[in-house]
Amino acid sequence: MTGRELDAAGITEPDLRAAYTRCRELNARHGRTYFLATRLLTPDRRPAVHALYGFARWADDIVDSLDSAAGPKDRARALDRLDDDLAHGLAGGAGAEPVVRALADTARRHAIDHRHFADFLAAMRSDLTVTSYATYADLRGYMHGSAAVIGLEMLPVLGTVTPREEAAPHAAELGVAFQLTNFLRDVGEDLDRGRVYLPRDLLNAHGVHRELLRHCRDTGRVDRRVTAALREFEDLTRAAYRRAAPGVGMLDPVSRPCIRTAFVLYGGILDAVAATGYAVLHRRAVVPRWRRALVAADGLLRVAAARVAARRAPGGAGVPLEPAASGARAHPPARPHPSHKEVA
């Protein structure tokens, strides 16, 4: 976290500044796409976004880290400790973990509904015992806590030009779209964790079962039934992006370039998955650097225009300009030509 960002956000206490800095480090290390988009926000908004992401990443690592030898019971106890620490922090305590101190401070500054954090931790806890979902509706139920609430937490930080309740469904849907993208990209890695997020009814419709996925993962084999199931899951994901898209224009204009950037870059992961022939069981799809560079250039232009407009608006406060690093279009990513999972 740069001192400029912390100063702009009015975060002055040394221990709290260190906590926010820790969250920024987690975002930069683990959320490259999201971190890139966050650079487009005004400096005063960035610490809060890093706090939200840092906490989510910390909890997710407790559940999912492949580097840890901890079993389900150890992970459950670690989540319990995090839950207790968060409750203490939200009640006005200091919080033992830096991510909790930063999150609790962000929740107070932006009046974020505490139920979102409870729903998120409940979803993380379910990952310790639930390894698959029977239907897409069941998966959506899980994603309310694991993804939709992240979008809802972000709204008070980003600001809106419409009543917040009007923007909320689109913000929640964008969180879902991002996580569906991660699920598709990470099918192989999730299988190694013992989980399959693609709904069983979707897989069954194409003659796919867990054993076939495991066989393809272990042997490098490509199976047309698996490819068809992955393509259908991609269609579900693109539909989520279309439902989320109207919400971008409901945000504060100076926040839109950040979300447009994330929108396009995450959508680019879908393009990359298709470009590999849906070989997600064998390797992780990534957005090419040249595409990231193009999106970055577009984002820089949008940021400059939005901040100049904010300065010129009647009664508009000065918005600090700072070099940013990405941008995006506001329409859903297009399906690539035939030549061609939250958590990026």
Side-chain angles (χ1 to χ4, degrees), residues 75-110:
R75 294 175 190 260
R77 284 192 287 267
L79 272 183
D80 287 341
R81 290 192 295 271
L82 183 63
D83 200 353
D84 290 343
D85 193 23
L86 178 61
H88 179 66
L90 292 175
E97 294 289 352
V99 294
V100 170
R101 292 196 292 274
L103 182 75
D105 183 69
T106 289
R108 286 191 288 270
R109 289 172 185 267
H110 296 278

Short mmCIF file of all heavy atoms in Angstrom, two decimals, residues 75-110:
data_model
loop_
_atom_site.label_atom_id
_atom_site.label_comp_id
_atom_site.label_asym_id
_atom_site.label_seq_id
_atom_site.Cartn_x
_atom_site.Cartn_y
_atom_site.Cartn_z
N ARG A 75 -8.49 -27.20 9.27
CA ARG A 75 -8.97 -26.05 8.49
C ARG A 75 -10.25 -25.48 9.10
O ARG A 75 -10.44 -24.26 9.13
CB ARG A 75 -9.20 -26.47 7.04
CG ARG A 75 -7.90 -26.85 6.31
CD ARG A 75 -8.17 -27.37 4.90
NE ARG A 75 -6.99 -27.96 4.29
CZ ARG A 75 -6.20 -27.35 3.42
NH1 ARG A 75 -6.45 -26.11 3.06
NH2 ARG A 75 -5.15 -27.97 2.91
N ALA A 76 -11.11 -26.36 9.59
CA ALA A 76 -12.34 -25.89 10.24
C ALA A 76 -12.03 -25.08 11.50
O ALA A 76 -12.65 -24.05 11.76
CB ALA A 76 -13.24 -27.08 10.58
N ARG A 77 -11.05 -25.55 12.28
CA ARG A 77 -10.66 -24.80 13.48
C ARG A 77 -10.07 -23.44 13.11
O ARG A 77 -10.32 -22.44 13.79
CB ARG A 77 -9.68 -25.62 14.31
CG ARG A 77 -10.33 -26.75 15.11
CD ARG A 77 -9.37 -27.33 16.13
NE ARG A 77 -8.34 -28.12 15.48
CZ ARG A 77 -8.43 -29.44 15.28
NH1 ARG A 77 -9.53 -30.10 15.68
NH2 ARG A 77 -7.45 -30.11 14.71
N ALA A 78 -9.29 -23.41 12.03
CA ALA A 78 -8.71 -22.14 11.59
C ALA A 78 -9.81 -21.17 11.16
O ALA A 78 -9.75 -19.97 11.44
CB ALA A 78 -7.72 -22.38 10.45
N LEU A 79 -10.84 -21.69 10.47
CA LEU A 79 -11.97 -20.84 10.09
C LEU A 79 -12.72 -20.34 11.31
O LEU A 79 -13.17 -19.19 11.35
CB LEU A 79 -12.92 -21.60 9.17
CG LEU A 79 -12.65 -21.57 7.67
CD1 LEU A 79 -13.75 -22.32 6.93
CD2 LEU A 79 -12.55 -20.15 7.15
N ASP A 80 -12.87 -21.21 12.32
CA ASP A 80 -13.53 -20.79 13.56
C ASP A 80 -12.78 -19.63 14.21
O ASP A 80 -13.39 -18.67 14.69
CB ASP A 80 -13.62 -21.97 14.54
CG ASP A 80 -14.64 -23.02 14.12
OD1 ASP A 80 -15.53 -22.68 13.31
OD2 ASP A 80 -14.54 -24.16 14.61
N ARG A 81 -11.45 -19.75 14.24
CA ARG A 81 -10.65 -18.68 14.84
C ARG A 81 -10.81 -17.38 14.06
O ARG A 81 -10.91 -16.29 14.63
CB ARG A 81 -9.17 -19.09 14.90
CG ARG A 81 -8.87 -20.18 15.91
CD ARG A 81 -7.38 -20.33 16.14
NE ARG A 81 -6.68 -20.79 14.94
CZ ARG A 81 -6.49 -22.07 14.64
NH1 ARG A 81 -6.96 -23.04 15.45
NH2 ARG A 81 -5.83 -22.42 13.54
N LEU A 82 -10.82 -17.50 12.72
CA LEU A 82 -11.00 -16.31 11.89
C LEU A 82 -12.38 -15.70 12.12
O LEU A 82 -12.52 -14.47 12.21
CB LEU A 82 -10.82 -16.67 10.42
CG LEU A 82 -10.91 -15.52 9.42
CD1 LEU A 82 -9.80 -14.50 9.66
CD2 LEU A 82 -10.84 -16.04 7.98
N ASP A 83 -13.40 -16.54 12.22
CA ASP A 83 -14.76 -16.07 12.46
C ASP A 83 -14.85 -15.33 13.79
O ASP A 83 -15.45 -14.24 13.89
CB ASP A 83 -15.71 -17.27 12.46
CG ASP A 83 -17.16 -16.86 12.21
OD1 ASP A 83 -17.45 -15.65 12.17
OD2 ASP A 83 -18.01 -17.76 12.07
N ASP A 84 -14.25 -15.91 14.83
CA ASP A 84 -14.27 -15.26 16.15
C ASP A 84 -13.51 -13.93 16.12
O ASP A 84 -13.95 -12.93 16.70
CB ASP A 84 -13.63 -16.19 17.19
CG ASP A 84 -14.49 -17.41 17.49
OD1 ASP A 84 -15.69 -17.38 17.16
OD2 ASP A 84 -13.96 -18.39 18.05
N ASP A 85 -12.38 -13.94 15.44
CA ASP A 85 -11.57 -12.72 15.33
C ASP A 85 -12.35 -11.63 14.60
O ASP A 85 -12.34 -10.45 14.99
CB ASP A 85 -10.27 -13.04 14.60
CG ASP A 85 -9.23 -11.93 14.72
OD1 ASP A 85 -9.31 -11.13 15.67
OD2 ASP A 85 -8.33 -11.87 13.85
N LEU A 86 -13.06 -12.03 13.54
CA LEU A 86 -13.85 -11.06 12.78
C LEU A 86 -14.98 -10.49 13.63
O LEU A 86 -15.23 -9.28 13.61
CB LEU A 86 -14.41 -11.71 11.52
CG LEU A 86 -15.29 -10.81 10.65
CD1 LEU A 86 -14.51 -9.60 10.15
CD2 LEU A 86 -15.88 -11.59 9.48
N ALA A 87 -15.66 -11.35 14.36
CA ALA A 87 -16.75 -10.88 15.22
C ALA A 87 -16.23 -9.86 16.22
O ALA A 87 -16.87 -8.82 16.47
CB ALA A 87 -17.41 -12.06 15.94
N HIS A 88 -15.06 -10.13 16.78
CA HIS A 88 -14.45 -9.19 17.73
C HIS A 88 -14.09 -7.88 17.03
O HIS A 88 -14.34 -6.80 17.56
CB HIS A 88 -13.19 -9.83 18.33
CG HIS A 88 -12.46 -8.96 19.29
ND1 HIS A 88 -12.98 -8.56 20.50
CD2 HIS A 88 -11.21 -8.40 19.22
CE1 HIS A 88 -12.11 -7.80 21.13
NE2 HIS A 88 -11.04 -7.68 20.38
N GLY A 89 -13.51 -7.99 15.84
CA GLY A 89 -13.13 -6.79 15.10
C GLY A 89 -14.33 -5.94 14.71
O GLY A 89 -14.31 -4.71 14.84
N LEU A 90 -15.38 -6.58 14.22
CA LEU A 90 -16.57 -5.84 13.80
C LEU A 90 -17.29 -5.20 14.99
O LEU A 90 -18.00 -4.20 14.83
CB LEU A 90 -17.53 -6.76 13.04
CG LEU A 90 -17.04 -7.26 11.68
CD1 LEU A 90 -18.04 -8.27 11.10
CD2 LEU A 90 -16.83 -6.11 10.70
N ALA A 91 -17.10 -5.80 16.17
CA ALA A 91 -17.72 -5.24 17.38
C ALA A 91 -16.93 -4.07 17.95
O ALA A 91 -17.32 -3.49 18.97
CB ALA A 91 -17.88 -6.33 18.43
N GLY A 92 -15.81 -3.75 17.32
CA GLY A 92 -15.03 -2.61 17.77
C GLY A 92 -13.67 -2.96 18.32
O GLY A 92 -12.91 -2.08 18.73
N GLY A 93 -13.34 -4.27 18.34
CA GLY A 93 -12.04 -4.69 18.82
C GLY A 93 -10.97 -4.50 17.77
O GLY A 93 -11.23 -4.11 16.63
N ALA A 94 -9.74 -4.80 18.15
CA ALA A 94 -8.61 -4.58 17.24
C ALA A 94 -8.51 -5.66 16.17
O ALA A 94 -8.14 -5.39 15.03
CB ALA A 94 -7.31 -4.50 18.03
N GLY A 95 -8.82 -6.91 16.53
CA GLY A 95 -8.62 -8.00 15.59
C GLY A 95 -7.19 -8.49 15.64
O GLY A 95 -6.25 -7.69 15.63
N ALA A 96 -7.01 -9.81 15.72
CA ALA A 96 -5.67 -10.37 15.82
C ALA A 96 -4.96 -10.39 14.47
O ALA A 96 -3.77 -10.09 14.38
CB ALA A 96 -5.73 -11.78 16.41
N GLU A 97 -5.69 -10.75 13.42
CA GLU A 97 -5.10 -10.85 12.08
C GLU A 97 -5.13 -9.49 11.38
O GLU A 97 -6.13 -8.77 11.46
CB GLU A 97 -5.85 -11.87 11.23
CG GLU A 97 -5.75 -13.31 11.71
CD GLU A 97 -4.37 -13.89 11.49
OE1 GLU A 97 -3.54 -13.25 10.83
OE2 GLU A 97 -4.13 -15.00 11.97
N PRO A 98 -4.05 -9.15 10.68
CA PRO A 98 -4.07 -7.88 9.93
C PRO A 98 -5.25 -7.77 8.98
O PRO A 98 -5.84 -6.68 8.84
CB PRO A 98 -2.74 -7.91 9.18
CG PRO A 98 -1.84 -8.77 10.02
CD PRO A 98 -2.75 -9.82 10.60
N VAL A 99 -5.61 -8.87 8.29
CA VAL A 99 -6.72 -8.80 7.34
C VAL A 99 -8.03 -8.48 8.05
O VAL A 99 -8.91 -7.83 7.47
CB VAL A 99 -6.86 -10.12 6.53
CG1 VAL A 99 -5.65 -10.33 5.64
CG2 VAL A 99 -7.08 -11.31 7.44
N VAL A 100 -8.17 -8.93 9.29
CA VAL A 100 -9.38 -8.64 10.06
C VAL A 100 -9.40 -7.17 10.49
O VAL A 100 -10.43 -6.50 10.43
CB VAL A 100 -9.50 -9.58 11.27
CG1 VAL A 100 -10.62 -9.11 12.21
CG2 VAL A 100 -9.75 -11.00 10.81
N ARG A 101 -8.25 -6.66 10.93
CA ARG A 101 -8.20 -5.25 11.34
C ARG A 101 -8.57 -4.34 10.17
O ARG A 101 -9.33 -3.38 10.33
CB ARG A 101 -6.80 -4.92 11.86
CG ARG A 101 -6.48 -5.61 13.18
CD ARG A 101 -5.28 -4.98 13.88
NE ARG A 101 -4.03 -5.18 13.16
CZ ARG A 101 -3.25 -6.25 13.29
NH1 ARG A 101 -3.63 -7.25 14.09
NH2 ARG A 101 -2.11 -6.36 12.62
N ALA A 102 -8.01 -4.63 9.00
CA ALA A 102 -8.32 -3.80 7.83
C ALA A 102 -9.77 -3.94 7.41
O ALA A 102 -10.43 -2.95 7.07
CB ALA A 102 -7.39 -4.16 6.68
N LEU A 103 -10.28 -5.17 7.41
CA LEU A 103 -11.67 -5.39 6.99
C LEU A 103 -12.64 -4.70 7.94
O LEU A 103 -13.59 -4.05 7.50
CB LEU A 103 -11.97 -6.89 6.94
CG LEU A 103 -13.39 -7.21 6.46
CD1 LEU A 103 -13.51 -7.02 4.96
CD2 LEU A 103 -13.78 -8.64 6.83
N ALA A 104 -12.42 -4.84 9.26
CA ALA A 104 -13.32 -4.21 10.22
C ALA A 104 -13.32 -2.70 10.07
O ALA A 104 -14.36 -2.04 10.15
CB ALA A 104 -12.92 -4.62 11.64
N ASP A 105 -12.15 -2.13 9.83
CA ASP A 105 -12.06 -0.69 9.62
C ASP A 105 -12.80 -0.27 8.35
O ASP A 105 -13.53 0.72 8.34
CB ASP A 105 -10.59 -0.27 9.53
CG ASP A 105 -10.43 1.24 9.40
OD1 ASP A 105 -10.72 1.95 10.38
OD2 ASP A 105 -10.03 1.70 8.31
N THR A 106 -12.64 -1.05 7.28
CA THR A 106 -13.34 -0.76 6.04
C THR A 106 -14.85 -0.86 6.22
O THR A 106 -15.61 -0.02 5.72
CB THR A 106 -12.87 -1.73 4.93
OG1 THR A 106 -11.54 -1.39 4.55
CG2 THR A 106 -13.77 -1.66 3.70
N ALA A 107 -15.30 -1.89 6.95
CA ALA A 107 -16.73 -2.06 7.18
C ALA A 107 -17.31 -0.86 7.93
O ALA A 107 -18.43 -0.41 7.64
CB ALA A 107 -16.98 -3.35 7.96
N ARG A 108 -16.55 -0.32 8.89
CA ARG A 108 -17.03 0.85 9.65
C ARG A 108 -17.05 2.10 8.78
O ARG A 108 -18.01 2.87 8.80
CB ARG A 108 -16.16 1.07 10.89
CG ARG A 108 -16.39 0.07 12.01
CD ARG A 108 -15.70 0.49 13.29
NE ARG A 108 -14.25 0.34 13.20
CZ ARG A 108 -13.59 -0.77 13.53
NH1 ARG A 108 -14.26 -1.83 13.95
NH2 ARG A 108 -12.28 -0.82 13.45
N ARG A 109 -16.00 2.30 8.00
CA ARG A 109 -15.91 3.51 7.19
C ARG A 109 -16.99 3.57 6.11
O ARG A 109 -17.47 4.66 5.75
CB ARG A 109 -14.53 3.59 6.52
CG ARG A 109 -13.39 3.90 7.47
CD ARG A 109 -12.04 3.77 6.77
NE ARG A 109 -10.93 3.94 7.68
CZ ARG A 109 -10.31 5.10 7.92
NH1 ARG A 109 -10.70 6.19 7.27
NH2 ARG A 109 -9.32 5.18 8.78
N HIS A 110 -17.36 2.41 5.58
CA HIS A 110 -18.28 2.37 4.44
C HIS A 110 -19.64 1.77 4.79
O HIS A 110 -20.46 1.55 3.89
CB HIS A 110 -17.64 1.60 3.29
CG HIS A 110 -16.40 2.25 2.74
ND1 HIS A 110 -16.44 3.29 1.84
CD2 HIS A 110 -15.09 2.03 3.00
CE1 HIS A 110 -15.21 3.67 1.56
NE2 HIS A 110 -14.37 2.92 2.26
#
